[in-house]
Amino acid sequence: MGQKVNPNGFRYGITKPHNTVWYADKNNFPRLLLEDQKIYQYLDQFTREYGIGKVEIKRLQNGKVTVFIHTAKPGVVLGQEGNNIKTLTKNIQKFTKNKSLNLNIEVVVIENPSLNAKLLAEDIAIKLENRGSFRNAQKQVIRDAMKAGASGIKTKVSGRLNGVDMARSEGYSEGEMKLHTLRQNVDYATATARTTYGAIGVKVWLSLGDVKEGGK
């Protein structure tokens, strides 16, 4: 039997830094954990619109919360004169039901979107929703990633491909993909394509080479 493990969770705290950084005592821990989950949940709605590849949360002892939004479309996230950031801040406070939340949103630009697994997975999902070929969609993403300098990439789509009655999985890979090696810097993400035939799951594993000593 295949023993599968999430490549991100496998590496967190070893060769991959955690997305959330803070400390709390046992009284505040559940509340802050739920608050973080709601922040992730709210921003997840705008993954495609804002080109969000990653979200990080950092909390300080004074209660200040900094949310780092890694995006390929910084102009869209900021809006005119940064007005969109103010709207986002208010909406997150409303969504978390905490109007006193001391929130600060920082926008981090993703220099190369072709080296971000989340953006690649969403790219495949968008192509599938636009009735594109699932083979071409995967091969195009693989070409882009390898051209951008990735060490290896693996993709997989599962569901009613091309509208057939029987659901199946099909994937492609190129380059190296040593998932069992913690030293290998693997970025993993999933996305869902909502087609007329039903939901199609998309998975992308992206290898960015080995993590050298010192985390570089």
Side-chain angles (χ1 to χ4, degrees):
M1 288 174 68
Q3 301 284 320
K4 304 294 185 295
V5 67
N6 186 305
N8 292 333
F10 190 43
R11 289 168 174 80
Y12 282 141
I14 301 167
T15 54
K16 193 186 275 272
H18 289 279
N19 287 345
T20 309
V21 181
W22 50 268
Y23 174 81
D25 56 33
K26 62 182 179 182
N27 297 325
N28 293 321
F29 184 84
R31 179 179 59 81
L32 297 179
L33 186 67
L34 188 62
E35 204 168 79
D36 278 9
Q37 181 55 36
K38 285 184 176 176
I39 292 170
Y40 284 124
Q41 198 181 330
Y42 180 78
L43 291 173
D44 199 43
Q45 305 170 69
F46 302 99
T47 300
R48 292 187 189 180
E49 188 185 338
Y50 294 161
I52 298 172
K54 187 181 178 184
V55 175
E56 291 177 311
I57 299 172
K58 189 175 182 179
R59 290 176 183 269
L60 299 176
Q61 281 184 322
N62 60 10
K64 188 177 180 182
V65 182
T66 307
V67 177
F68 298 92
I69 300 176
H70 295 252
T71 173
K73 303 173 181 175
V76 180
V77 179
L78 291 166
Q80 276 190 328
E81 297 176 1
N83 288 332
N84 200 36
I85 293 290
K86 292 172 190 170
T87 309
L88 266 178
T89 304
K90 283 178 187 171
N91 289 343
I92 289 173
Q93 286 171 339
K94 201 182 289 180
F95 193 76
T96 55
K97 294 176 182 173
N98 183 3
K99 289 190 177 177
S100 61
L101 183 68
N102 186 3
L103 187 66
N104 177 40
I105 296 175
E106 297 276 344
V107 176
V108 183
V109 182
I110 296 173
E111 299 294 343
N112 200 334
S114 297
L115 292 177
N116 184 285
K118 184 65 181 170
L119 294 179
L120 293 178
E122 290 293 347
D123 191 24
I124 294 173
I126 290 166
K127 286 185 169 81
L128 293 175
E129 287 178 1
N130 293 334
R131 296 172 181 262
S133 160
F134 68 91
R135 290 191 181 92
N136 290 345
Q138 291 181 85
K139 286 176 180 175
Q140 180 64 52
V141 158
I142 288 171
R143 270 198 303 270
D144 291 346
M146 294 304 287
K147 200 174 176 183
S151 297
I153 181 172
K154 185 167 85 164
T155 63
K156 187 178 182 182
V157 293
S158 305
R160 292 182 60 189
L161 306 177
N162 285 345
V164 295
D165 288 339
M166 182 76 77
R168 69 182 198 278
S169 298
E170 197 161 316
Y172 298 94
S173 65
E174 194 173 321
E176 66 173 13
M177 187 57 63
K178 297 180 280 191
L179 293 174
H180 60 285
T181 311
L182 283 167
R183 193 170 55 244
Q184 182 100 140
N185 184 7
V186 178
D187 192 13
Y188 168 75
T190 61
T192 305
R194 304 283 173 189
T195 69
T196 50
Y197 301 109
I200 293 178
V202 180
K203 291 181 179 180
V204 172
W205 295 259
L206 186 70
S207 172
L208 301 170
D210 286 351
V211 177
K212 301 291 188 290
E213 206 171 332
K216 292 179 182 178

